[in-house]
Amino acid sequence: MLGIVVPLKIRHLEVFDALVEAGSVSRAADRLNLTQPAVSIALSKLEADLGFRLFHRERGYFAPTGEAMLLHSEVTQGLRAISRVSKRIDEIRLGTTGGVSIATNGTLAINFLPRLVAEFQSNNPGVSVEIRVHSSRQIAAWVSAGQIDIGLIDLPVPVAGLNAELFKLECVCVMHKDDVLAQEKTLTPQSLRDRSVVGITGDHIVDRQLDQLLSDTDTVIQRNVSSYFFATARNIVAMGKDVAIIDPINGKARLNDDVVWRKFSPRIDHEMAVITAKNQPIGKAAATICERICDGLNAHGDAFPQKGS
């Protein structure tokens, strides 16, 4: 024969637990911030639902029954489990738990994301964050397939089905502080004549823009070394006599490496996108980090956000 399912109320179980722990109606009422009549009514309703007495209540005597003691440990464990569930629901709602995955092609991997993620986790220690570095095309494919929450890539966006926030970042020219070019406020293509300029590996749009300006002004430079990351290009500049045209985030970062930056004219832009999957809404934590990334890009120097898809 199947048992009868009793529709128990959590508040009644909390009253029962407090009565066992406190040992009296008055102390249980104080613990729960209830009136004594409210506690007594809740106890009576719980006993009626259960079909057996939970406390001996004679004049001057109040004590749990044997049945109450058999039930109490289960009730205590159940209330703790419910408390954990409630806490986790709040964490999920507030975005303070779970995991966030970010993939970048490298521009923001060194001098942007680490600080942003550290600041986020200081207030959200329950959220794990993964940062991957890969090509823009692979990142777009991951995001489109739902394997990565947030992607940071160079334009153009190579995959359909993505939400994209587009940014133009004005590049700067970086050099060692003792370089003769550091004496200038603004540099031009002619300023780089016969200098060794660090290239960006992979036919990068920044190099293509610079090459066009050099061609327009009949200026010849040397490219003795190239790197995949802007941050690496800056490190090369710090160690030698090269200069580089790089994004403003890596170019203007204060790293105590004796590298300084100067404005470059005509303007060269590094164009990038923050992408998410169009038909797969991201979680609260990921949405918060995505918003902070966009705010950081928008606030850094001359950034121009545009909507794209």
Side-chain angles (χ1 to χ4, degrees), residues 9-305:
K9 293 184 177 181
I10 294 176
R11 193 53 168 170
H12 291 171
L13 296 179
E14 290 173 339
V15 167
F16 167 65
D17 181 61
L19 285 166
V20 174
E21 295 292 334
S24 73
V25 172
S26 60
R27 287 194 292 270
D30 290 340
R31 177 179 293 191
L32 297 172
N33 196 28
L34 296 173
T35 64
Q36 292 185 40
V39 170
S40 297
I41 291 171
L43 174 58
S44 297
K45 289 183 177 180
L46 178 59
E47 289 178 326
D49 289 337
L50 296 177
F52 54 81
R53 292 186 65 186
L54 293 171
F55 290 89
H56 300 289
R57 297 190 288 278
E58 285 78 25
R59 181 170 297 182
Y61 181 72
F62 183 87
T65 63
E67 292 82 358
M69 297 310 298
L70 290 172
L71 183 63
H72 182 240
S73 63
E74 298 294 338
V75 169
T76 300
Q77 293 179 41
L79 290 175
R80 288 174 180 171
I82 291 171
S83 178
R84 290 194 297 270
V85 170
S86 297
K87 181 180 179 181
R88 181 50 58 94
I89 289 172
D90 287 340
E91 290 172 345
I92 293 172
R93 182 187 300 114
L94 297 173
T96 57
T97 190
V100 179
S101 55
I102 308 169
T104 173
N105 63 356
T107 300
L108 305 182
I110 307 300
N111 294 313
F112 183 84
L113 282 178
R115 183 187 299 274
L116 184 146
V117 168
E119 291 175 350
F120 173 82
Q121 287 197 304
S122 67
N123 297 318
N124 303 277
V127 179
S128 63
V129 180
E130 175 191 14
I131 299 176
R132 298 187 196 178
V133 179
H134 218 288
S135 68
S136 292
R137 183 169 295 278
Q138 180 61 69
I139 292 169
W142 279 338
V143 173
S144 180
Q147 298 174 4
I148 290 290
D149 295 315
I150 305 166
L152 310 170
I153 65 173
D154 290 344
L155 293 182
V157 178
V159 176
L162 296 171
N163 296 316
E165 188 82 14
L166 311 183
F167 293 87
K168 283 187 176 182
L169 304 177
E170 183 177 7
C171 291
V172 296
C173 185
V174 292
M175 71 288 301
H176 191 278
K177 68 177 183 179
D178 295 329
D179 194 299
V180 64
L181 293 181
Q183 300 175 16
E184 305 293 331
K185 290 184 177 180
T186 301
L187 301 178
T188 66
Q190 294 92 328
S191 304
L192 304 181
R193 188 180 303 275
D194 297 327
R195 292 298 305 266
S196 177
V197 181
V198 180
I200 306 301
T201 305
D203 190 31
H204 199 277
I205 183 63
V206 169
D207 278 354
R208 294 205 299 271
Q209 292 177 74
L210 176 60
D211 288 344
Q212 183 61 56
L213 294 175
L214 294 172
S215 176
D216 292 343
T217 56
D218 294 322
T219 302
V220 177
I221 64 171
Q222 302 176 39
R223 279 212 172 92
N224 299 321
V225 62
S226 64
S227 70
Y228 188 77
F229 300 130
F230 287 132
T232 305
R234 174 173 174 146
N235 286 339
I236 294 170
V237 169
M239 298 298 176
K241 297 182 179 180
D242 299 272
V243 298
I245 305 294
I246 63 176
D247 73 293
I249 292 174
N250 289 289
K252 297 181 181 181
R254 297 181 180 180
L255 303 179
N256 297 318
D257 57 357
D258 293 330
V259 171
V260 296
W261 64 272
R262 294 293 181 264
K263 182 180 177 64
F264 192 83
S265 180
R267 174 176 175 143
I268 293 177
D269 288 318
H270 172 55
E271 298 182 344
M272 62 174 301
V274 179
I275 59 174
T276 57
K278 180 170 290 187
N279 298 320
Q280 301 176 43
I282 58 178
K284 178 72 174 180
T288 298
I289 291 182
C290 189
E291 181 179 358
R292 293 187 183 188
I293 289 172
C294 291
D295 287 345
L297 292 175
N298 195 25
H300 194 97
D302 295 320
F304 301 93

